Amino acid sequence: MSEHQHFKGGHEMDEPPTRHLFNIVGGLGFLTLLAVFALVQVFHSQRESLQSERYSKISRRLAEYTAEQDKQRFESGQYELNDDGKIVKLSYVPLARATEKVLENPALLKAGPPPPGFVHPDGAPKPPPAPPVVKAPPPPPVPAGAEGATAGPATPAGAAKPAKDGAKSGR
């Protein structure tokens, strides 16, 4: 006998296997999720291996820069700077050699002259004020009848008259 049921009005189909359908969809979803995780792990491991391979080699620019810095650190020499079209040459000396030179001759620590146009941050020192120019007054004219006579110092107008001898005694 079959396991289907008869109803009034006709013949019904068997009930759908919904329980099995949910099991199948859930299992496939879980497998898809595992595949995504595995793919991400493969991607990360491949990226790490590529980065470790690339980072194990030093770049050409970094090697040149390191060589130039080592040259400046351990050797003496000169290099040029471009200052708005003007080429400025700077000398460099290793620290150990510079220390020896300064210990031999401490005058090397003296500052050089400032460049042209340099203004000190505190302001340029002002020169001391010039003393005022005072012209001497012309000598007084010699009176006509006093030829050969020596004249004493001239008394200015409005000056106090000298005291007589009697004023000194207090009488």
Side-chain angles (χ1 to χ4, degrees):
M1 301 221 157
S2 68
E3 298 179 5
H4 59 275
Q5 301 171 355
H6 293 281
F7 295 98
K8 295 180 189 175
H11 184 74
E12 270 304 311
M13 297 287 296
D14 292 334
E15 27 179 275
T18 55
R19 192 179 307 158
H20 297 294
L21 181 65
F22 285 120
N23 288 343
I24 291 172
V25 169
L28 288 176
F30 181 72
L31 286 175
T32 305
L33 192 61
L34 282 178
V36 167
F37 282 139
L39 208 67
V40 167
Q41 289 303 319
V42 168
F43 172 75
H44 283 298
S45 66
Q46 185 178 14
R47 186 186 67 181
E48 281 183 29
S49 66
L50 285 174
Q51 283 180 347
S52 65
E53 179 184 334
R54 288 179 184 161
Y55 295 156
S56 66
K57 301 174 189 174
I58 191 167
S59 74
R60 178 183 51 84
R61 289 183 182 173
L62 183 60
E64 290 173 2
Y65 176 76
T66 304
E68 182 68 27
Q69 292 299 311
D70 285 343
K71 180 181 171 192
Q72 289 183 10
R73 194 169 12 161
F74 301 117
E75 301 173 13
S76 298
Q78 264 188 346
Y79 61 93
E80 296 179 352
L81 293 177
N82 186 353
D83 185 20
D84 294 331
K86 180 182 176 188
I87 302 297
V88 178
K89 290 186 178 183
L90 297 175
S91 299
Y92 55 90
V93 179
L95 182 62
R97 180 66 188 127
T99 304
E100 291 172 7
K101 285 183 176 183
V102 168
L103 289 175
E104 290 171 5
N105 184 6
L108 292 175
L109 289 177
K110 183 179 177 185
F118 174 75
V119 177
H120 194 275
D122 293 339
K126 297 179 181 176
V133 178
V134 179
K135 292 185 178 180
V142 177
E147 277 186 58
T150 58
T155 55
K161 295 183 179 183
K164 294 184 180 180
D165 291 333
K168 286 183 184 177
S169 62
R171 294 184 198 172

